[in-house]
Amino acid sequence: GAVVSQHPSWVICKSGTSVKIECRSLDFQATTMFWYRQFPKQSLMLMATSNEGSKATYEQGVEKDKFLINHASLTLSTLTVTSAHPEDSSFYICSARGGPGSYEQYFGPGTRLTVT
Amino acid sequence: SQQGEEDPQALSIQEGENATMNCSYKTSINNLQWYRQNSGRGLVHLILIRSNEREKHSGRLRVTLDTSKKSSSLLITASRAADTASYFCATAPQGGSEKLVFGKGTKLTVNP
Protein backbone atom coordinates (compact mmCIF):
# COMPACT_ATOMS: atom_id res chain seq x y z
CA GLY A 1 0.00 0.00 0.00
CA ALA A 2 0.81 3.73 0.08
CA VAL A 3 1.98 4.04 -3.49
CA VAL A 4 2.48 7.44 -5.06
CA SER A 5 3.04 7.86 -8.77
CA GLN A 6 4.29 10.78 -10.80
CA HIS A 7 3.92 11.54 -14.45
CA PRO A 8 5.90 12.15 -16.49
CA SER A 9 9.10 10.63 -15.15
CA TRP A 10 11.12 12.94 -17.32
CA VAL A 11 10.35 15.84 -19.65
CA ILE A 12 12.33 18.12 -21.90
CA CYS A 13 10.76 21.41 -22.87
CA LYS A 14 11.74 24.63 -24.55
CA SER A 15 12.28 27.83 -22.66
CA GLY A 16 9.06 29.80 -22.30
CA THR A 17 6.72 26.85 -22.39
CA SER A 18 4.75 25.40 -19.48
CA VAL A 19 5.00 21.91 -18.09
CA LYS A 20 2.49 20.05 -15.92
CA ILE A 21 3.56 17.30 -13.53
CA GLU A 22 0.99 14.99 -11.98
CA CYS A 23 1.21 13.33 -8.59
CA ARG A 24 -1.26 10.59 -7.72
CA SER A 25 -1.84 8.54 -4.62
CA LEU A 26 -2.82 5.14 -6.00
CA ASP A 27 -4.24 3.25 -3.08
CA PHE A 28 -5.07 5.83 -0.45
CA GLN A 29 -6.63 9.25 -0.16
CA ALA A 30 -4.17 12.05 0.38
CA THR A 31 -5.61 15.21 1.82
CA THR A 32 -2.14 16.70 1.95
CA MET A 33 0.57 16.45 -0.67
CA PHE A 34 3.95 18.10 -0.78
CA TRP A 35 6.08 19.27 -3.67
CA TYR A 36 9.85 19.27 -3.42
CA ARG A 37 12.68 20.28 -5.65
CA GLN A 38 16.07 18.61 -5.61
CA PHE A 39 19.24 19.78 -7.31
CA PRO A 40 21.98 17.27 -8.15
CA LYS A 41 23.68 15.83 -5.09
CA GLN A 42 21.65 18.05 -2.81
CA SER A 43 18.82 17.56 -0.38
CA LEU A 44 15.13 18.10 -0.93
CA MET A 45 13.80 21.61 -0.73
CA LEU A 46 10.12 21.92 0.12
CA MET A 47 8.36 24.14 -2.38
CA ALA A 48 4.77 23.99 -1.22
CA THR A 49 2.16 22.11 0.75
CA SER A 50 -0.95 21.21 -1.18
CA ASN A 51 -4.24 20.59 0.59
CA GLU A 52 -7.21 19.13 -1.23
CA GLY A 53 -9.82 21.74 -2.01
CA SER A 54 -7.81 24.73 -0.86
CA LYS A 55 -4.96 26.92 -2.02
CA ALA A 56 -1.45 25.64 -1.68
CA THR A 57 0.88 27.07 0.93
CA TYR A 58 4.17 28.09 -0.62
CA GLU A 59 7.52 28.22 1.12
CA GLN A 60 9.37 31.48 1.33
CA GLY A 61 11.11 32.33 -1.91
CA VAL A 62 8.95 30.09 -4.10
CA GLU A 63 6.99 32.02 -6.71
CA LYS A 64 3.39 30.90 -6.58
CA ASP A 65 2.63 32.39 -9.99
CA LYS A 66 5.43 30.41 -11.54
CA PHE A 67 4.77 27.10 -9.82
CA LEU A 68 1.03 26.58 -9.97
CA ILE A 69 -0.32 23.85 -7.74
CA ASN A 70 -3.76 22.34 -7.98
CA HIS A 71 -5.09 19.67 -5.62
CA ALA A 72 -8.57 19.10 -7.00
CA SER A 73 -9.14 15.60 -5.67
CA LEU A 74 -8.01 13.38 -2.82
CA THR A 75 -5.77 11.41 -5.16
CA LEU A 76 -4.32 13.98 -7.52
CA SER A 77 -2.17 17.06 -7.20
CA THR A 78 -0.54 18.83 -10.13
CA LEU A 79 2.41 21.17 -10.37
CA THR A 80 2.63 23.39 -13.43
CA VAL A 81 5.90 25.15 -14.12
CA THR A 82 4.88 28.18 -16.15
CA SER A 83 7.13 29.95 -18.63
CA ALA A 84 9.94 27.57 -17.83
CA HIS A 85 13.54 28.71 -18.00
CA PRO A 86 16.76 26.68 -17.93
CA GLU A 87 17.24 27.49 -14.25
CA ASP A 88 13.99 25.64 -13.54
CA SER A 89 15.66 22.43 -14.68
CA SER A 90 15.64 20.15 -11.68
CA PHE A 91 14.26 16.97 -10.15
CA TYR A 92 10.74 17.53 -8.82
CA ILE A 93 9.37 15.08 -6.27
CA CYS A 94 5.93 14.91 -4.71
CA SER A 95 4.90 13.15 -1.56
CA ALA A 96 1.69 12.42 0.28
CA ARG A 97 1.00 12.08 3.95
CA GLY A 98 -0.10 8.65 5.02
CA GLY A 99 -3.36 9.96 6.44
CA PRO A 100 -4.69 11.92 9.42
CA GLY A 101 -2.31 11.67 12.32
CA SER A 102 0.38 10.10 10.15
CA TYR A 103 3.77 11.75 9.97
CA GLU A 104 5.26 9.45 7.35
CA GLN A 105 5.38 10.72 3.82
CA TYR A 106 5.20 8.50 0.77
CA PHE A 107 7.16 9.76 -2.17
CA GLY A 108 6.63 9.57 -5.86
CA PRO A 109 9.51 8.48 -8.10
CA GLY A 110 10.23 12.04 -9.18
CA THR A 111 10.15 13.95 -12.47
CA ARG A 112 13.32 15.11 -14.17
CA LEU A 113 12.65 18.44 -15.92
CA THR A 114 15.13 19.78 -18.44
CA VAL A 115 14.46 23.18 -19.97
CA THR A 116 16.45 23.94 -23.11
CA SER B 1 15.27 25.87 5.67
CA GLN B 2 17.41 22.82 6.03
CA GLN B 3 17.56 21.80 9.65
CA GLY B 4 19.20 18.41 9.64
CA GLU B 5 22.86 17.98 9.06
CA GLU B 6 24.07 14.51 8.32
CA ASP B 7 27.58 13.29 8.67
CA PRO B 8 29.49 11.96 7.06
CA GLN B 9 28.52 13.42 3.69
CA ALA B 10 29.84 10.28 2.04
CA LEU B 11 30.67 6.85 3.38
CA SER B 12 32.27 3.93 1.57
CA ILE B 13 32.41 0.50 3.18
CA GLN B 14 32.77 -3.16 2.27
CA GLU B 15 29.86 -5.55 2.12
CA GLY B 16 29.22 -7.10 5.51
CA GLU B 17 30.46 -4.12 7.47
CA ASN B 18 28.20 -1.87 9.51
CA ALA B 19 27.41 1.67 8.40
CA THR B 20 26.65 4.47 10.81
CA MET B 21 25.23 7.81 9.77
CA ASN B 22 24.54 10.72 12.07
CA CYS B 23 22.07 13.56 11.95
CA SER B 24 21.92 16.74 14.00
CA TYR B 25 19.08 19.21 14.12
CA LYS B 26 18.39 22.57 15.70
CA THR B 27 14.84 22.92 16.95
CA SER B 28 12.49 20.85 19.08
CA ILE B 29 10.88 18.02 17.20
CA ASN B 30 7.85 15.81 17.31
CA ASN B 31 9.62 12.98 15.55
CA LEU B 32 12.57 12.23 13.32
CA GLN B 33 12.47 10.04 10.25
CA TRP B 34 15.05 8.40 8.03
CA TYR B 35 14.58 8.02 4.31
CA ARG B 36 16.57 6.34 1.60
CA GLN B 37 16.97 7.52 -1.98
CA ASN B 38 18.43 5.52 -4.81
CA SER B 39 20.06 7.63 -7.49
CA GLY B 40 17.50 9.52 -9.55
CA ARG B 41 14.56 8.05 -7.70
CA GLY B 42 12.06 9.08 -5.06
CA LEU B 43 12.52 8.57 -1.36
CA VAL B 44 11.56 5.51 0.61
CA HIS B 45 10.52 5.83 4.24
CA LEU B 46 12.70 3.66 6.48
CA ILE B 47 11.85 4.37 10.07
CA LEU B 48 10.25 6.96 12.34
CA ILE B 49 11.32 7.60 15.91
CA ARG B 50 9.24 9.78 18.19
CA SER B 51 10.72 12.42 20.47
CA ASN B 52 9.96 10.32 23.55
CA GLU B 53 11.75 7.27 22.15
CA ARG B 54 15.47 6.62 22.41
CA GLU B 55 16.01 3.65 20.16
CA LYS B 56 14.14 1.78 17.49
CA HIS B 57 14.88 -1.26 15.37
CA SER B 58 13.60 -2.44 12.03
CA GLY B 59 15.33 -5.42 10.48
CA ARG B 60 18.98 -4.48 9.94
CA LEU B 61 18.29 -0.87 10.85
CA ARG B 62 18.81 0.64 14.26
CA VAL B 63 17.99 4.25 14.97
CA THR B 64 18.83 6.19 18.11
CA LEU B 65 17.61 9.60 19.17
CA ASP B 66 19.16 11.90 21.75
CA THR B 67 16.92 14.92 22.15
CA SER B 68 19.27 16.53 24.67
CA LYS B 69 21.98 16.62 22.00
CA LYS B 70 19.50 17.09 19.17
CA SER B 71 21.02 14.23 17.29
CA SER B 72 20.12 10.87 15.80
CA SER B 73 22.05 8.00 14.28
CA LEU B 74 21.15 5.35 11.74
CA LEU B 75 23.03 2.07 11.89
CA ILE B 76 22.79 -0.42 9.06
CA THR B 77 24.21 -3.77 10.10
CA ALA B 78 25.71 -6.38 7.80
CA SER B 79 25.53 -4.05 4.84
CA ARG B 80 24.86 -5.27 1.32
CA ALA B 81 25.71 -3.80 -2.05
CA ALA B 82 21.98 -3.12 -2.48
CA ASP B 83 22.14 -0.72 0.47
CA THR B 84 24.08 1.70 -1.72
CA ALA B 85 21.98 4.87 -1.73
CA SER B 86 21.68 8.30 -0.16
CA TYR B 87 20.18 8.44 3.30
CA PHE B 88 18.37 11.49 4.64
CA CYS B 89 17.09 12.35 8.06
CA ALA B 90 13.97 14.48 8.26
CA THR B 91 12.51 16.19 11.27
CA ALA B 92 8.90 16.99 12.01
CA PRO B 93 9.04 20.17 14.08
CA GLN B 94 7.14 20.32 17.34
CA GLY B 95 3.87 22.19 17.15
CA GLY B 96 1.99 19.94 14.80
CA SER B 97 3.49 21.13 11.53
CA GLU B 98 2.88 18.72 8.69
CA LYS B 99 6.14 19.67 7.06
CA LEU B 100 9.32 17.66 7.14
CA VAL B 101 12.67 19.37 7.11
CA PHE B 102 15.31 17.31 5.37
CA GLY B 103 19.00 17.14 6.06
CA LYS B 104 21.66 17.16 3.39
CA GLY B 105 22.05 13.41 3.30
CA THR B 106 24.80 10.82 3.46
CA LYS B 107 25.85 9.05 0.30
CA LEU B 108 26.55 5.44 1.24
CA THR B 109 28.49 3.15 -1.08
CA VAL B 110 28.72 -0.52 -0.19
CA ASN B 111 31.40 -2.26 -2.20
CA PRO B 112 30.88 -5.95 -3.03
Side-chain angles (χ1 to χ4, degrees):
Chain A
V3 177
V4 176
S5 71
Q6 267 182 258
H7 178 81
S9 55
W10 60 270
V11 58
I12 301 172
C13 70
K14 292 188 176 180
S15 192
T17 61
S18 295
V19 174
K20 180 185 283 188
I21 302 170
E22 294 185 348
C23 177
R24 292 181 185 272
S25 56
L26 298 184
D27 49 3
F28 67 104
Q29 293 184 331
T31 54
T32 303
M33 289 184 171
F34 303 88
W35 287 96
Y36 296 86
R37 183 173 181 175
Q38 186 179 33
F39 290 105
K41 299 184 180 180
Q42 293 191 25
S43 187
L44 280 72
M45 183 190 79
L46 179 65
M47 299 175 66
T49 302
S50 168
N51 289 298
E52 187 266 336
S54 64
K55 290 184 178 180
T57 302
Y58 290 81
E59 293 299 300
Q60 192 172 10
V62 178
E63 299 175 60
K64 61 181 180 181
D65 294 331
K66 180 165 185 63
F67 299 100
L68 300 178
I69 292 172
N70 184 282
H71 193 158
S73 79
L74 286 171
T75 59
L76 173 64
S77 176
T78 61
L79 168 68
T80 300
V81 183
T82 62
S83 187
H85 288 99
E87 56 264 32
D88 297 325
S89 298
S90 190
F91 193 54
Y92 292 88
I93 310 177
C94 71
S95 71
R97 271 182 61 196
S102 170
Y103 285 98
E104 293 93 340
Q105 292 185 18
Y106 299 97
F107 285 80
T111 296
R112 172 76 58 195
L113 170 63
T114 302
V115 184
T116 61
Chain B
S1 62
Q2 297 297 328
Q3 170 167 238
E5 294 279 343
E6 283 97 332
D7 81 270
Q9 290 187 346
L11 179 62
S12 182
I13 60 175
Q14 294 300 123
E15 212 166 21
E17 293 180 340
N18 295 342
T20 299
M21 290 160 270
N22 302 297
C23 167
S24 61
Y25 57 92
K26 297 174 183 172
T27 63
S28 296
I29 62 171
N30 181 292
N31 65 77
L32 184 146
Q33 303 175 38
W34 285 90
Y35 288 82
R36 164 198 168 122
Q37 183 182 34
N38 286 69
S39 182
R41 307 286 294 173
L43 277 70
V44 174
H45 180 265
L46 295 176
I47 197 164
L48 178 153
I49 186 165
R50 301 187 191 283
S51 60
N52 61 353
E53 296 176 310
R54 292 295 167 259
E55 188 171 310
K56 206 162 184 180
H57 297 254
S58 176
R60 293 184 296 114
L61 305 180
R62 173 178 166 246
V63 168
T64 63
L65 178 64
D66 186 335
T67 53
S68 66
K69 295 181 179 178
K70 290 186 169 59
S71 68
S72 173
S73 68
L74 170 67
L75 168 67
I76 303 174
T77 60
S79 64
R80 305 166 182 168
D83 294 329
T84 295
S86 290
Y87 292 82
F88 295 91
C89 70
T91 51
Q94 211 169 56
S97 172
E98 305 171 302
K99 298 189 290 190
L100 290 178
V101 180
F102 282 83
K104 295 180 179 178
T106 294
K107 176 77 174 80
L108 173 67
T109 302
V110 181
N111 302 298

